[in-house]
Amino acid sequence: MPRKLLKKYMPDPHWVRNHQHLRWMGRYIQNPNLWHLSHRSVSLAFLVGIFCAFLPMPFQMVLAAVIAVLVGSNLPVSIGLVWISNPITMPAMLYFCYRIGLAILGSDPETPRMAWTLDSIYGNFQHIWQPLLLGSVLCGIVAGILGFIAVRIVWLIQVRRNWIKRGKARALRRKQIDDGRSD
């Protein structure tokens, strides 16, 4: 994984640890693993951040931060990935999750004509909350696991490419040294 690229956009850990609104987290935010960029911490961050992005709830970033602290994933990456579900993408994501939940429950969507009153919104919510929640949790788990696996694979490929590049550079230097000796 391009560690330099991730480090470029990550906040300074000292600034975050000393931020007045985050002091309530105390010793939990002091964990250096929350800021370390390794294949383990970043892949776990993808799992946590993508899972939380699919949850139909407010304050997803807070939940992602709490889970990141509990499992020891990279905190900034976990929080940043929650923004997959932003005001532009959220309606499509929620509708997709709702349809997945309906398919799993085997329900037929009974959608009466909706009037935009408080009573009708509450009544419609009573019909959609179960398939929406089930679909959201399931899609979050699947997408999070896929993100976890994808980061592991990309990280492994990048590490192997770097090993090969360094090996070729060492071989070239040895050849240059050997050529210099034979002259």
Side-chain angles (χ1 to χ4, degrees):
M1 200 66 194
R3 187 179 306 209
K4 291 178 185 174
L5 178 70
L6 288 174
K7 278 190 176 186
K8 180 179 175 183
Y9 293 107
M10 284 183 52
D12 180 36
H14 301 291
W15 178 83
V16 175
R17 286 181 192 133
N18 297 324
H19 193 275
Q20 64 182 359
H21 297 300
L22 299 175
R23 286 190 191 133
W24 64 272
M25 296 184 86
R27 65 181 171 92
Y28 297 109
I29 205 163
Q30 302 294 331
N31 182 356
N33 290 330
L34 296 176
W35 309 99
H36 186 65
L37 289 171
S38 68
H39 69 284
R40 181 192 172 280
S41 67
V42 174
S43 58
L44 275 174
F46 267 70
L47 178 67
V48 169
I50 293 173
F51 171 74
C52 290
F54 274 90
L55 296 179
M57 59 177 277
F59 305 111
Q60 296 165 315
M61 289 175 28
V62 174
L63 179 64
V66 170
I67 295 173
V69 168
L70 292 175
V71 300
S73 69
N74 187 283
L75 185 62
V77 174
S78 295
I79 292 172
L81 283 168
V82 169
W83 281 94
I84 290 171
S85 64
N86 56 59
I88 296 170
T89 61
M90 188 170 278
M93 288 174 66
L94 291 179
Y95 182 71
F96 177 75
C97 292
Y98 171 70
R99 297 301 291 191
I100 294 292
L102 278 177
I104 291 171
L105 291 174
S107 303
D108 186 31
E110 300 170 12
T111 54
R113 196 82 167 127
M114 185 169 166
W116 288 97
T117 64
L118 201 53
D119 290 334
S120 69
I121 291 172
Y122 178 72
N124 284 334
F125 184 74
Q126 287 180 323
H127 293 295
I128 69 167
W129 78 269
Q130 289 176 329
L132 177 63
L133 188 61
L134 176 65
S136 296
V137 169
L138 185 66
C139 288
I141 290 170
V142 170
I145 290 172
L146 289 175
F148 177 87
I149 292 169
V151 167
R152 289 282 178 130
I153 291 171
V154 168
W155 200 289
L156 180 66
I157 290 170
Q158 187 66 32
V159 166
R160 287 192 178 170
R161 281 184 183 164
N162 287 340
W163 284 349
I164 292 169
K165 190 188 303 183
R166 284 194 304 252
K168 286 180 181 179
R170 276 193 301 269
L172 182 62
R173 279 193 304 258
R174 266 189 244 126
K175 184 176 187 279
Q176 289 172 346
I177 291 170
D178 290 343
D179 287 346
R181 288 182 190 162
S182 64
D183 289 337

